[in-house]
Amino acid sequence: MTVLEYLQYLDRDVTLAVNSYGSPVTDQIWQFFSMKEVWYPLYLLIALGLVWRLGWKQGLVYVVACALTVVACDQTGNFVKDTVQRLRPCWDQLMQDGGLRILEDKGGQFGFYSAHAANAMGLAVCSYKGFCRGVRGRHKLYGTIMILWALLVGVSRVFVGKHFCGDVLVGFVAGVVFACIFAALADIAISVFRLSRR
C-alpha cells in the first residue's frame, strides 16, 4: 500500500467516524452552518465594519481583497475538483456502504477541495488582517470568533456528507494562503496610492 492509498483509507475512516455523530438537533445545526445564503448578512456586516474601521478608502480596498479571496478560493476549488476528480463521500459507494449519513442533496460529483471551507477561512483571515491594520492585537476577539465560524462551516461539510475531512483541511489551507496574498496586495495598494483613512 502506498502512502497516498494509506492516507485515502485513513481519510475515509476518519470521515465516517466524524459523520456518524449526529442527532436531529445537531443535524439541523450542521445543515444551517453548511448553507451559503444564511451568511449573506454576515458578509455585509464585515464589509460595513471594515469601512467603519479603516475609513471608506482603505475599507473599500479591504472589502475588494476579501471578495477576491473568496472568488480565488471558489474558482481554484472548482478547477482542482475538475482536475483531481475525487468523488464526494455522498457519491462514493464505499462510503455509503460504510454508513455515511447524507443530510443534503448530493450536488456535483467531485469534492476535492472544499470551497466552503476555503471561502470561510479565507474571509475570516483576510477580514481579520483588515481589522488589525495598524493596530495589531486589538481585534483578537473578532479573529477568534471568525476562525471558529470558519472551522464550523468547514466541519459542517463533513457532517452533511458532502466532503471528506481531507477536503476540508486542504480547503482551510487554501483559504489562509489566498487571504494572506490578497491582504498583502491590499496593504501594498494602500501604501502605493497613499490612501488615507478618510
Side-chain angles (χ1 to χ4, degrees), residues 134-171:
V135 287
R136 300 282 179 204
R138 281 186 54 188
H139 296 280
K140 288 182 180 178
L141 179 60
Y142 173 82
T144 301
I145 291 171
M146 287 302 294
I147 296 298
L148 178 60
W149 168 76
L151 292 172
L152 290 171
V153 169
V155 171
S156 74
R157 304 300 286 166
V158 178
F159 277 99
V160 300
K162 296 292 281 287
H163 284 288
F164 289 96
C165 290
D167 301 342
V168 171
L169 291 175
V170 173

Side-chain angles (χ1 to χ4, degrees), residues 90-102:
C90 54
W91 286 96
D92 188 323
Q93 193 60 49
L94 287 174
M95 296 296 287
Q96 293 180 35
D97 294 343
L100 181 78
R101 299 165 62 250
I102 303 170

Side-chain angles (χ1 to χ4, degrees), residues 39 84 131 195:
W39 301 115
V84 175
F131 276 107
L195 299 176

Side-chain angles (χ1 to χ4, degrees), residues 8-24:
Q8 287 177 331
Y9 281 117
L10 181 63
D11 199 10
R12 286 193 180 104
D13 289 344
V14 173
T15 299
L16 282 172
V18 171
N19 176 267
S20 68
Y21 291 102
S23 70

Side-chain angles (χ1 to χ4, degrees), residues 3 91 107 198:
V3 173
W91 286 96
R198 299 296 167 195

